[in-house]
Amino acid sequence: MKIYKLTIRIMKLDSRDNIGTKANLEIIIMSKAASSFETYKIKQSIERLERKKSFNGATCLVTLYMPNGTSIPDVTQQLVDERGTAANIKSKQTSKAVTAALSSILNRIKQIRDLPNNGLVIFCGMTQNGKVEYIPITPVEPITRKMYVCDSRFHTEHLREQLEEKEQFGLMVVDRETAAYALLRGNHMTFLRNLHSFVPGKHGKGGQSQRRIQRGTEILAQDHLRRAGEVASKLFLEVPDLKGIVLGGPSLAKENFVRGNFLDFRLTDKVLGTVDTGYTGEQGIRELMEKSSEILKDVCYLKEKQLVQIFLRELGKDTGQVAYGQKEVMKAIELGAVKTLLISEELDVFQTKVLCPQCNYTKQEAVKAKEFVEFEEEILKRNCPECGSSKLSIEDTIDFVEELGKRAVEIGAEIEIVSTDTEEGMILYKSFGGLVAILRYSIREM
Ligand SMILES: [Zn+2]
Protein backbone atom coordinates (compact mmCIF):
# COMPACT_ATOMS: atom_id res chain seq x y z
CA MET A 1 0.00 0.00 0.00
CA LYS A 2 2.92 2.29 0.63
CA ILE A 3 4.04 1.91 -2.95
CA TYR A 4 0.55 2.79 -4.07
CA LYS A 5 0.47 6.08 -2.19
CA LEU A 6 3.85 7.05 -3.57
CA THR A 7 2.63 6.43 -7.09
CA ILE A 8 -0.37 8.66 -6.69
CA ARG A 9 2.02 11.47 -5.91
CA ILE A 10 4.08 10.75 -9.03
CA MET A 11 0.93 10.73 -11.11
CA LYS A 12 -0.21 14.07 -9.82
CA LEU A 13 3.18 15.62 -10.50
CA ASP A 14 3.11 14.23 -13.99
CA SER A 15 -0.29 15.50 -14.90
CA ARG A 16 0.56 18.97 -13.66
CA ASP A 17 3.96 19.29 -15.26
CA ASN A 18 3.09 17.18 -18.25
CA ILE A 19 6.46 15.46 -18.22
CA GLY A 20 5.22 11.87 -17.97
CA THR A 21 7.81 9.83 -19.82
CA LYS A 22 7.22 6.29 -20.94
CA ALA A 23 9.43 4.95 -18.16
CA ASN A 24 7.43 6.89 -15.61
CA LEU A 25 4.23 5.51 -17.01
CA GLU A 26 5.45 1.96 -16.56
CA ILE A 27 6.33 2.60 -12.93
CA ILE A 28 2.89 4.00 -12.30
CA ILE A 29 1.08 1.10 -13.90
CA MET A 30 3.11 -1.55 -12.18
CA SER A 31 3.07 -0.12 -8.70
CA LYS A 32 -0.68 0.12 -8.88
CA ALA A 33 -0.84 -3.50 -10.03
CA ALA A 34 0.66 -4.79 -6.78
CA SER A 35 -2.14 -3.37 -4.75
CA SER A 36 -4.73 -4.42 -7.29
CA PHE A 37 -3.77 -8.06 -6.74
CA GLU A 38 -4.05 -7.68 -2.98
CA THR A 39 -7.42 -6.03 -3.36
CA TYR A 40 -8.61 -8.63 -5.84
CA LYS A 41 -7.78 -11.50 -3.50
CA ILE A 42 -9.33 -9.85 -0.46
CA LYS A 43 -12.46 -9.02 -2.42
CA GLN A 44 -12.78 -12.69 -3.32
CA SER A 45 -12.33 -13.83 0.28
CA ILE A 46 -14.99 -11.37 1.42
CA GLU A 47 -17.42 -12.56 -1.22
CA ARG A 48 -16.90 -16.12 -0.07
CA LEU A 49 -17.39 -15.11 3.58
CA GLU A 50 -20.59 -13.29 2.77
CA ARG A 51 -22.08 -16.35 1.16
CA LYS A 52 -21.25 -18.67 4.04
CA LYS A 53 -24.10 -19.66 6.32
CA SER A 54 -23.91 -20.77 9.91
CA PHE A 55 -24.53 -24.39 10.83
CA ASN A 56 -28.33 -24.91 10.94
CA GLY A 57 -28.77 -21.12 11.03
CA ALA A 58 -27.43 -20.92 14.61
CA THR A 59 -25.98 -17.73 16.08
CA CYS A 60 -22.46 -19.11 16.14
CA LEU A 61 -20.31 -17.19 13.65
CA VAL A 62 -17.72 -14.98 15.32
CA THR A 63 -16.32 -11.80 13.76
CA LEU A 64 -13.39 -10.13 15.52
CA TYR A 65 -11.87 -6.81 14.41
CA MET A 66 -8.53 -5.98 16.00
CA PRO A 67 -6.94 -2.66 15.01
CA ASN A 68 -3.17 -2.31 15.29
CA GLY A 69 -2.31 -1.64 18.93
CA THR A 70 -5.02 -3.95 20.29
CA SER A 71 -3.75 -5.73 23.38
CA ILE A 72 -3.74 -9.48 22.71
CA PRO A 73 -3.99 -10.36 26.43
CA ASP A 74 -7.11 -8.15 26.69
CA VAL A 75 -8.74 -9.80 23.69
CA THR A 76 -7.81 -13.21 25.07
CA GLN A 77 -9.50 -12.36 28.36
CA GLN A 78 -12.62 -11.12 26.55
CA LEU A 79 -12.84 -14.30 24.49
CA VAL A 80 -12.38 -16.49 27.59
CA ASP A 81 -15.27 -14.58 29.22
CA GLU A 82 -17.43 -14.99 26.11
CA ARG A 83 -16.69 -18.69 26.14
CA GLY A 84 -17.84 -18.86 29.74
CA THR A 85 -21.10 -17.15 28.78
CA ALA A 86 -21.55 -19.47 25.79
CA ALA A 87 -21.76 -22.44 28.15
CA ASN A 88 -25.13 -21.04 29.34
CA ILE A 89 -26.72 -20.81 25.88
CA LYS A 90 -29.95 -22.84 25.96
CA SER A 91 -29.50 -24.63 22.66
CA LYS A 92 -26.85 -27.31 23.25
CA GLN A 93 -25.90 -27.27 19.60
CA THR A 94 -25.37 -23.48 19.49
CA SER A 95 -23.51 -23.52 22.80
CA LYS A 96 -21.16 -26.18 21.47
CA ALA A 97 -20.62 -24.35 18.18
CA VAL A 98 -19.84 -20.98 19.82
CA THR A 99 -17.49 -22.61 22.30
CA ALA A 100 -15.70 -24.38 19.47
CA ALA A 101 -15.29 -21.14 17.49
CA LEU A 102 -13.94 -19.23 20.49
CA SER A 103 -11.54 -22.03 21.40
CA SER A 104 -10.29 -22.10 17.84
CA ILE A 105 -9.58 -18.34 17.91
CA LEU A 106 -7.97 -18.54 21.35
CA ASN A 107 -5.64 -21.30 20.15
CA ARG A 108 -4.45 -19.19 17.24
CA ILE A 109 -4.11 -15.75 18.75
CA LYS A 110 -1.81 -17.25 21.39
CA GLN A 111 0.75 -17.39 18.62
CA ILE A 112 0.34 -13.78 17.52
CA ARG A 113 3.15 -11.50 18.76
CA ASP A 114 2.41 -8.35 16.78
CA LEU A 115 -0.66 -7.45 14.78
CA PRO A 116 -0.11 -6.38 11.16
CA ASN A 117 0.09 -2.59 10.60
CA ASN A 118 -3.45 -2.48 9.26
CA GLY A 119 -4.76 -4.69 12.06
CA LEU A 120 -6.35 -8.10 11.73
CA VAL A 121 -9.89 -9.36 11.22
CA ILE A 122 -10.76 -12.91 12.22
CA PHE A 123 -13.81 -14.81 11.03
CA CYS A 124 -14.43 -18.10 12.75
CA GLY A 125 -17.31 -20.45 13.29
CA MET A 126 -19.17 -23.61 12.36
CA THR A 127 -20.43 -23.11 8.83
CA GLN A 128 -23.07 -25.03 6.90
CA ASN A 129 -20.73 -27.98 6.32
CA GLY A 130 -20.56 -28.60 10.08
CA LYS A 131 -16.87 -27.73 10.37
CA VAL A 132 -15.30 -24.88 12.30
CA GLU A 133 -13.63 -22.60 9.79
CA TYR A 134 -10.98 -20.06 10.75
CA ILE A 135 -10.39 -17.26 8.23
CA PRO A 136 -8.02 -14.39 9.11
CA ILE A 137 -7.89 -11.36 6.82
CA THR A 138 -5.35 -8.54 6.85
CA PRO A 139 -7.21 -5.41 5.70
CA VAL A 140 -5.92 -3.30 2.78
CA GLU A 141 -6.20 -0.16 4.90
CA PRO A 142 -5.89 0.30 8.67
CA ILE A 143 -9.03 -0.53 10.62
CA THR A 144 -9.82 1.72 13.56
CA ARG A 145 -12.79 0.04 15.14
CA LYS A 146 -12.43 -2.78 17.63
CA MET A 147 -15.38 -5.14 17.34
CA TYR A 148 -16.62 -8.51 18.54
CA VAL A 149 -19.84 -9.95 17.09
CA CYS A 150 -21.39 -13.39 17.33
CA ASP A 151 -24.16 -13.77 14.76
CA SER A 152 -25.62 -16.15 12.19
CA ARG A 153 -23.47 -14.45 9.54
CA PHE A 154 -19.99 -13.00 9.26
CA HIS A 155 -19.75 -9.22 9.49
CA THR A 156 -17.68 -8.04 6.54
CA GLU A 157 -19.14 -4.51 6.14
CA HIS A 158 -16.10 -2.55 7.32
CA LEU A 159 -13.74 -4.51 5.11
CA ARG A 160 -16.09 -4.01 2.21
CA GLU A 161 -16.10 -0.23 2.73
CA GLN A 162 -12.34 -0.21 2.24
CA LEU A 163 -12.68 -1.88 -1.13
CA GLU A 164 -15.25 0.51 -2.46
CA GLU A 165 -14.32 2.32 -5.62
CA LYS A 166 -12.55 5.55 -4.73
CA GLU A 167 -12.10 6.88 -8.22
CA GLN A 168 -14.80 9.24 -9.37
CA PHE A 169 -16.04 10.37 -12.75
CA GLY A 170 -17.67 13.68 -13.53
CA LEU A 171 -20.82 13.69 -15.65
CA MET A 172 -22.04 16.85 -17.30
CA VAL A 173 -24.94 17.43 -19.68
CA VAL A 174 -24.96 20.78 -21.41
CA ASP A 175 -27.15 22.41 -24.07
CA ARG A 176 -27.93 25.97 -25.18
CA GLU A 177 -29.55 27.04 -21.95
CA THR A 178 -29.14 24.32 -19.32
CA ALA A 179 -26.34 22.38 -17.68
CA ALA A 180 -26.46 19.53 -15.17
CA TYR A 181 -23.64 17.99 -13.13
CA ALA A 182 -23.14 14.72 -11.29
CA LEU A 183 -20.42 12.47 -9.88
CA LEU A 184 -20.17 8.77 -10.48
CA ARG A 185 -18.36 6.43 -8.08
CA GLY A 186 -18.61 2.76 -8.96
CA ASN A 187 -22.28 2.36 -9.78
CA HIS A 188 -23.35 5.14 -7.46
CA MET A 189 -24.35 8.50 -8.95
CA THR A 190 -24.59 11.72 -6.95
CA PHE A 191 -26.48 14.54 -8.64
CA LEU A 192 -24.77 17.86 -7.95
CA ARG A 193 -26.48 20.76 -9.64
CA ASN A 194 -28.84 22.03 -12.30
CA LEU A 195 -28.09 25.30 -14.09
CA HIS A 196 -30.64 27.20 -16.17
CA SER A 197 -30.04 30.39 -18.12
CA PHE A 198 -32.59 32.35 -20.09
CA VAL A 199 -31.73 32.10 -23.78
CA PRO A 200 -34.57 32.79 -26.26
CA GLY A 201 -35.10 30.41 -29.19
CA LYS A 202 -33.32 30.95 -32.52
CA HIS A 203 -36.41 31.17 -34.72
CA GLY A 204 -37.66 34.43 -36.15
CA LYS A 205 -39.16 36.02 -39.23
CA GLY A 206 -36.02 37.86 -40.33
CA GLY A 207 -35.63 41.59 -40.78
CA GLN A 208 -33.41 44.24 -39.26
CA SER A 209 -34.60 44.05 -35.65
CA GLN A 210 -34.77 40.27 -35.84
CA ARG A 211 -31.07 40.14 -36.70
CA ARG A 212 -30.32 42.36 -33.74
CA ILE A 213 -32.31 40.05 -31.50
CA GLN A 214 -30.44 37.05 -32.84
CA ARG A 215 -27.11 38.69 -32.08
CA GLY A 216 -28.34 39.32 -28.56
CA THR A 217 -29.49 35.73 -28.29
CA GLU A 218 -26.07 34.48 -29.38
CA ILE A 219 -24.40 36.59 -26.71
CA LEU A 220 -26.74 35.13 -24.10
CA ALA A 221 -25.99 31.60 -25.34
CA GLN A 222 -22.23 32.24 -25.08
CA ASP A 223 -22.72 33.65 -21.60
CA HIS A 224 -24.55 30.51 -20.65
CA LEU A 225 -21.71 28.26 -21.83
CA ARG A 226 -19.23 30.42 -19.94
CA ARG A 227 -21.28 30.10 -16.77
CA ALA A 228 -21.63 26.36 -17.34
CA GLY A 229 -17.82 26.14 -17.51
CA GLU A 230 -17.37 28.15 -14.33
CA VAL A 231 -19.78 25.93 -12.43
CA ALA A 232 -17.94 22.86 -13.76
CA SER A 233 -14.66 24.23 -12.36
CA LYS A 234 -16.27 24.95 -9.03
CA LEU A 235 -17.74 21.45 -8.77
CA PHE A 236 -15.12 19.22 -10.40
CA LEU A 237 -11.73 20.79 -9.62
CA GLU A 238 -12.26 20.16 -5.92
CA VAL A 239 -12.96 16.44 -6.35
CA PRO A 240 -10.07 14.25 -5.25
CA ASP A 241 -9.33 11.27 -7.50
CA LEU A 242 -11.39 12.65 -10.38
CA LYS A 243 -10.51 10.13 -13.04
CA GLY A 244 -12.30 11.70 -15.98
CA ILE A 245 -15.30 13.58 -17.28
CA VAL A 246 -17.93 12.51 -19.77
CA LEU A 247 -19.89 15.24 -21.51
CA GLY A 248 -23.36 14.81 -22.87
CA GLY A 249 -26.06 16.87 -24.48
CA PRO A 250 -28.75 16.81 -27.12
CA SER A 251 -27.29 19.31 -29.54
CA LEU A 252 -24.12 20.79 -30.93
CA ALA A 253 -23.94 22.95 -27.82
CA LYS A 254 -21.74 20.41 -26.05
CA GLU A 255 -19.28 20.36 -28.98
CA ASN A 256 -19.22 24.16 -29.00
CA PHE A 257 -18.69 24.01 -25.28
CA VAL A 258 -15.53 21.88 -25.68
CA ARG A 259 -14.19 23.67 -28.75
CA GLY A 260 -14.94 27.12 -27.38
CA ASN A 261 -12.61 26.47 -24.44
CA PHE A 262 -15.33 27.18 -21.93
CA LEU A 263 -13.97 24.40 -19.73
CA ASP A 264 -10.91 24.94 -17.52
CA PHE A 265 -7.86 23.37 -19.20
CA ARG A 266 -7.29 21.09 -16.21
CA LEU A 267 -10.76 19.66 -16.79
CA THR A 268 -10.46 19.60 -20.58
CA ASP A 269 -7.53 17.21 -20.13
CA LYS A 270 -9.88 14.86 -18.32
CA VAL A 271 -12.66 14.74 -20.89
CA LEU A 272 -12.91 11.09 -21.91
CA GLY A 273 -15.54 11.60 -24.57
CA THR A 274 -18.83 13.16 -25.56
CA VAL A 275 -22.16 11.38 -25.87
CA ASP A 276 -25.42 12.46 -27.54
CA THR A 277 -28.34 12.49 -25.16
CA GLY A 278 -31.99 13.17 -25.85
CA TYR A 279 -32.62 14.77 -22.47
CA THR A 280 -31.12 17.51 -20.35
CA GLY A 281 -31.10 18.06 -16.58
CA GLU A 282 -31.20 15.15 -14.18
CA GLN A 283 -32.85 12.92 -16.74
CA GLY A 284 -30.07 13.74 -19.18
CA ILE A 285 -27.48 12.76 -16.55
CA ARG A 286 -29.18 9.39 -16.13
CA GLU A 287 -29.19 8.87 -19.88
CA LEU A 288 -25.52 9.88 -20.07
CA MET A 289 -24.65 7.44 -17.30
CA GLU A 290 -26.18 4.57 -19.24
CA LYS A 291 -24.67 5.56 -22.55
CA SER A 292 -21.16 6.20 -21.25
CA SER A 293 -20.64 2.76 -19.73
CA GLU A 294 -18.45 1.74 -22.67
CA ILE A 295 -16.24 4.80 -22.31
CA LEU A 296 -15.88 4.26 -18.57
CA LYS A 297 -15.20 0.55 -18.99
CA ASP A 298 -12.25 1.36 -21.24
CA VAL A 299 -10.74 3.56 -18.54
CA CYS A 300 -11.15 0.90 -15.88
CA TYR A 301 -9.45 -1.67 -18.05
CA LEU A 302 -6.73 0.71 -19.23
CA LYS A 303 -4.06 -0.58 -16.87
CA GLU A 304 -4.47 -4.26 -17.67
CA LYS A 305 -4.73 -3.50 -21.38
CA GLN A 306 -1.48 -1.53 -21.28
CA LEU A 307 0.34 -4.30 -19.43
CA VAL A 308 -0.67 -6.90 -22.00
CA GLN A 309 0.44 -4.49 -24.72
CA ILE A 310 3.86 -4.08 -23.07
CA PHE A 311 4.17 -7.88 -23.00
CA LEU A 312 3.23 -8.18 -26.68
CA ARG A 313 5.63 -5.40 -27.63
CA GLU A 314 8.53 -7.09 -25.84
CA LEU A 315 7.59 -10.39 -27.42
CA GLY A 316 7.57 -8.77 -30.86
CA LYS A 317 11.00 -7.21 -30.32
CA ASP A 318 12.33 -10.67 -29.45
CA THR A 319 14.42 -9.38 -26.56
CA GLY A 320 13.89 -12.54 -24.54
CA GLN A 321 12.53 -10.40 -21.73
CA VAL A 322 9.22 -12.22 -21.59
CA ALA A 323 8.05 -15.64 -20.49
CA TYR A 324 4.81 -17.46 -21.19
CA GLY A 325 3.33 -20.82 -20.39
CA GLN A 326 3.33 -22.27 -16.90
CA LYS A 327 6.73 -24.00 -17.07
CA GLU A 328 8.58 -21.01 -18.46
CA VAL A 329 6.93 -18.54 -16.09
CA MET A 330 7.65 -20.74 -13.06
CA LYS A 331 11.30 -20.93 -14.10
CA ALA A 332 11.44 -17.14 -14.39
CA ILE A 333 9.94 -16.79 -10.92
CA GLU A 334 12.45 -19.29 -9.47
CA LEU A 335 15.26 -17.24 -11.01
CA GLY A 336 13.81 -14.03 -9.59
CA ALA A 337 13.66 -12.54 -13.08
CA VAL A 338 10.00 -11.56 -13.16
CA LYS A 339 9.16 -7.87 -13.19
CA THR A 340 5.44 -8.18 -13.86
CA LEU A 341 3.27 -11.25 -13.71
CA LEU A 342 0.04 -11.24 -15.71
CA ILE A 343 -2.54 -13.83 -14.76
CA SER A 344 -5.82 -14.30 -16.57
CA GLU A 345 -8.88 -14.28 -14.36
CA GLU A 346 -9.87 -17.52 -16.08
CA LEU A 347 -6.89 -19.18 -14.46
CA ASP A 348 -8.11 -18.34 -10.98
CA VAL A 349 -9.06 -21.86 -10.15
CA PHE A 350 -8.89 -23.85 -6.91
CA GLN A 351 -7.54 -27.39 -7.08
CA THR A 352 -9.55 -29.39 -4.60
CA LYS A 353 -9.47 -32.94 -3.28
CA VAL A 354 -12.86 -34.43 -2.48
CA LEU A 355 -12.75 -37.29 -0.01
CA CYS A 356 -15.21 -39.89 1.23
CA PRO A 357 -14.26 -40.76 4.82
CA GLN A 358 -16.35 -43.94 4.60
CA CYS A 359 -14.54 -45.73 1.77
CA ASN A 360 -11.53 -43.44 1.14
CA TYR A 361 -12.69 -42.57 -2.37
CA THR A 362 -10.90 -39.42 -3.56
CA LYS A 363 -11.30 -37.20 -6.58
CA GLN A 364 -9.38 -34.12 -7.72
CA GLU A 365 -11.60 -31.34 -8.93
CA ALA A 366 -10.79 -27.91 -10.29
CA VAL A 367 -13.25 -25.18 -9.30
CA LYS A 368 -13.30 -21.54 -10.35
CA ALA A 369 -12.46 -19.37 -7.35
CA LYS A 370 -15.61 -17.35 -8.00
CA GLU A 371 -17.79 -20.46 -7.75
CA PHE A 372 -16.19 -22.08 -4.72
CA VAL A 373 -19.00 -21.49 -2.23
CA GLU A 374 -21.54 -23.08 -4.59
CA PHE A 375 -19.16 -26.00 -4.98
CA GLU A 376 -18.98 -26.44 -1.20
CA GLU A 377 -22.77 -26.51 -1.04
CA GLU A 378 -22.98 -28.98 -3.88
CA ILE A 379 -20.51 -31.35 -2.19
CA LEU A 380 -22.75 -31.42 0.89
CA LYS A 381 -25.62 -32.67 -1.26
CA ARG A 382 -23.58 -35.07 -3.38
CA ASN A 383 -23.30 -38.77 -2.53
CA CYS A 384 -20.14 -40.84 -2.81
CA PRO A 385 -20.16 -42.61 -6.21
CA GLU A 386 -18.45 -45.65 -4.65
CA CYS A 387 -20.37 -46.36 -1.44
CA GLY A 388 -23.27 -43.89 -1.60
CA SER A 389 -22.29 -42.16 1.66
CA SER A 390 -23.51 -38.58 2.05
CA LYS A 391 -20.46 -37.53 4.06
CA LEU A 392 -18.24 -36.31 1.20
CA SER A 393 -15.93 -33.50 2.21
CA ILE A 394 -13.37 -31.18 0.62
CA GLU A 395 -10.11 -32.32 2.08
CA ASP A 396 -7.61 -30.07 0.44
CA THR A 397 -7.81 -26.83 -1.50
CA ILE A 398 -4.94 -25.30 -3.39
CA ASP A 399 -5.38 -21.74 -4.59
CA PHE A 400 -2.97 -21.69 -7.53
CA VAL A 401 -3.11 -17.93 -8.10
CA GLU A 402 -2.62 -17.17 -4.42
CA GLU A 403 0.41 -19.48 -4.26
CA LEU A 404 1.84 -18.04 -7.43
CA GLY A 405 1.16 -14.53 -6.22
CA LYS A 406 2.96 -15.14 -2.92
CA ARG A 407 6.07 -16.38 -4.68
CA ALA A 408 6.01 -13.48 -7.11
CA VAL A 409 5.70 -11.00 -4.24
CA GLU A 410 8.72 -12.63 -2.57
CA ILE A 411 10.89 -11.77 -5.55
CA GLY A 412 9.50 -8.24 -5.73
CA ALA A 413 7.39 -8.79 -8.84
CA GLU A 414 4.15 -6.95 -9.52
CA ILE A 415 1.04 -8.98 -10.20
CA GLU A 416 -1.96 -8.11 -12.28
CA ILE A 417 -5.10 -10.18 -12.63
CA VAL A 418 -6.36 -9.62 -16.16
CA SER A 419 -10.03 -10.05 -16.99
CA THR A 420 -11.23 -11.50 -20.28
CA ASP A 421 -13.50 -8.50 -20.88
CA THR A 422 -11.05 -6.86 -23.27
CA GLU A 423 -9.43 -7.96 -26.51
CA GLU A 424 -6.03 -7.92 -24.79
CA GLY A 425 -7.40 -10.06 -21.98
CA MET A 426 -8.73 -12.60 -24.49
CA ILE A 427 -5.35 -12.73 -26.26
CA LEU A 428 -3.64 -13.39 -22.94
CA TYR A 429 -6.03 -16.20 -22.14
CA LYS A 430 -6.49 -17.83 -25.55
CA SER A 431 -3.04 -17.42 -27.10
CA PHE A 432 -0.77 -17.58 -24.05
CA GLY A 433 -2.60 -19.91 -21.69
CA GLY A 434 -3.50 -17.04 -19.37
CA LEU A 435 -0.08 -16.79 -17.74
CA VAL A 436 2.78 -14.58 -18.91
CA ALA A 437 5.56 -12.53 -17.38
CA ILE A 438 7.47 -9.43 -18.33
CA LEU A 439 11.07 -10.04 -17.24
CA ARG A 440 13.83 -7.88 -15.84
CA TYR A 441 16.37 -9.63 -18.09
CA SER A 442 16.47 -12.45 -20.59
CA ILE A 443 16.66 -15.96 -19.16
CA ARG A 444 17.19 -17.73 -22.46
CA GLU A 445 20.75 -18.84 -21.70
CA MET A 446 19.91 -20.05 -18.21
ZN1 LIG B 1 -17.53 -43.61 -0.25
Side-chain angles (χ1 to χ4, degrees):
M1 286 318 279
K2 264 180 199 154
I3 308 167
Y4 184 61
K5 273 170 194 153
L6 179 75
T7 350
I8 292 289
R9 212 176 310 138
I10 297 172
M11 272 175 83
K12 278 189 180 149
L13 266 173
D14 275 355
S15 60
R16 191 165 53 226
D17 303 340
N18 237 342
I19 49 155
T21 63
K22 215 176 240 171
N24 264 340
L25 185 70
E26 275 192 28
I27 294 168
I28 291 163
I29 298 165
M30 286 166 195
S31 312
K32 275 190 90 177
S35 78
S36 92
F37 176 70
E38 248 180 329
T39 310
Y40 171 84
K41 272 303 180 187
I42 289 184
K43 209 179 237 172
Q44 260 189 2
S45 305
I46 291 174
E47 271 159 21
R48 279 200 297 277
L49 281 167
E50 282 169 353
R51 278 140 84 192
K52 284 192 190 291
K53 298 177 192 100
S54 69
F55 187 61
N56 288 341
T59 307
C60 66
L61 299 183
V62 172
T63 305
L64 183 64
Y65 280 68
M66 295 185 285
N68 189 2
T70 303
S71 146
I72 298 291
D74 287 357
V75 175
T76 304
Q77 189 52 52
Q78 189 192 353
L79 295 179
V80 169
D81 293 346
E82 292 288 347
R83 192 168 57 179
T85 316
N88 303 325
I89 298 172
K90 272 197 189 137
S91 153
K92 275 248 165 64
Q93 203 182 47
T94 307
S95 167
K96 234 173 109 181
V98 177
T99 308
L102 291 168
S103 298
S104 173
I105 301 176
L106 281 163
N107 273 332
R108 310 217 191 202
I109 61 170
K110 258 194 290 188
Q111 293 149 25
I112 299 175
R113 296 246 168 273
D114 290 303
L115 287 171
N117 280 339
N118 290 346
L120 183 68
V121 186
I122 292 170
F123 301 93
C124 185
M126 198 180 279
T127 53
Q128 68 254 52
N129 59 19
K131 282 184 188 169
V132 175
E133 292 190 72
Y134 176 89
I135 304 135
I137 291 187
T138 310
V140 285
E141 281 170 28
I143 47 165
T144 48
R145 205 178 315 200
K146 202 177 143 194
M147 188 172 94
Y148 168 87
V149 194
C150 183
D151 200 348
S152 54
R153 65 179 178 94
F154 287 126
H155 285 250
T156 52
E157 302 87 88
H158 302 307
L159 285 182
R160 220 183 227 290
E161 275 168 24
Q162 295 189 342
L163 298 175
E164 266 173 21
E165 216 43 75
K166 295 205 167 56
E167 283 168 352
Q168 304 199 72
F169 292 95
L171 298 178
M172 177 177 177
V173 173
V174 62
D175 77 347
R176 250 176 121 253
E177 55 179 354
T178 71
Y181 309 83
L183 280 176
L184 189 65
R185 186 201 294 258
N187 291 320
H188 184 73
M189 188 263 283
T190 312
F191 189 78
L192 297 176
R193 203 178 147 180
N194 237 331
L195 178 76
H196 198 275
S197 312
F198 176 72
V199 182
K202 280 176 178 174
H203 310 289
K205 287 177 190 142
Q208 190 71 9
S209 65
Q210 190 60 40
R211 271 198 295 278
R212 203 163 52 235
I213 292 169
Q214 269 178 5
R215 256 200 314 279
T217 303
E218 265 327 294
I219 290 166
L220 286 175
Q222 296 279 312
D223 277 349
H224 164 68
L225 294 182
R226 193 168 300 118
R227 259 183 82 200
E230 281 163 14
V231 173
S233 298
K234 211 188 244 159
L235 295 172
F236 292 145
L237 281 176
E238 297 298 307
V239 177
D241 302 318
L242 187 76
K243 187 93 179 163
I245 296 171
V246 186
L247 277 175
S251 65
L252 278 173
K254 65 173 180 305
E255 312 288 347
N256 293 339
F257 179 70
V258 180
R259 269 188 236 117
N261 290 327
F262 292 108
L263 201 56
D264 186 287
F265 71 97
R266 286 164 291 180
L267 293 178
T268 308
D269 284 349
K270 292 194 171 177
V271 174
L272 303 167
T274 58
V275 175
D276 282 320
T277 62
Y279 295 98
T280 54
E282 202 166 340
Q283 213 173 346
I285 290 283
R286 262 176 239 292
E287 194 187 345
L288 178 62
M289 196 173 123
E290 275 164 33
K291 288 184 172 168
S292 54
S293 65
E294 280 301 311
I295 297 176
L296 298 177
K297 207 174 95 180
D298 270 357
V299 176
C300 295
Y301 290 119
L302 188 66
K303 179 179 58 194
E304 50 184 79
K305 281 170 70 149
Q306 281 174 326
L307 284 171
V308 176
Q309 283 162 7
I310 292 173
F311 164 77
L312 292 172
R313 205 172 59 214
E314 286 297 319
L315 184 73
K317 282 194 284 184
D318 199 26
T319 53
Q321 294 196 14
V322 289
Y324 52 92
Q326 196 160 328
K327 211 176 134 197
E328 189 74 7
V329 171
M330 293 309 266
K331 180 183 157 194
I333 292 178
E334 296 308 325
L335 290 168
V338 174
K339 186 161 78 172
T340 311
L341 187 64
L342 302 180
I343 309 169
S344 171
E345 200 178 34
E346 290 295 314
L347 233 59
D348 201 1
V349 166
F350 289 177
Q351 298 296 333
T352 68
K353 196 167 117 190
V354 178
L355 173 83
C356 169
Q358 217 88 327
C359 72
N360 276 333
Y361 158 87
T362 60
K363 192 185 176 210
Q364 314 268 358
E365 276 189 59
V367 188
K368 279 194 177 176
K370 276 192 270 186
E371 292 155 10
F372 190 68
V373 177
E374 285 84 353
F375 178 71
E376 281 185 307
E377 280 170 12
E378 192 217 309
I379 288 296
L380 286 177
K381 289 179 204 139
R382 217 194 271 178
N383 290 335
C384 172
E386 294 291 326
C387 73
S389 155
S390 61
K391 296 215 162 66
L392 283 182
S393 68
I394 303 165
E395 213 44 38
D396 206 8
T397 307
I398 301 167
D399 181 345
F400 170 68
V401 168
E402 176 93 53
E403 295 295 320
L404 199 66
K406 263 189 218 155
R407 289 165 83 175
V409 166
E410 278 166 17
I411 60 158
E414 318 292 348
I415 308 139
E416 178 74 18
I417 304 290
V418 181
S419 70
T420 46
D421 295 344
T422 66
E423 200 187 329
E424 284 83 352
M426 282 310 282
I427 292 173
L428 174 68
Y429 176 52
K430 295 256 156 138
S431 309
F432 297 96
L435 184 63
V436 309
I438 301 164
L439 305 182
R440 298 190 172 106
Y441 48 84
S442 169
I443 56 163
R444 266 184 197 153
E445 310 302 321
M446 294 178 191

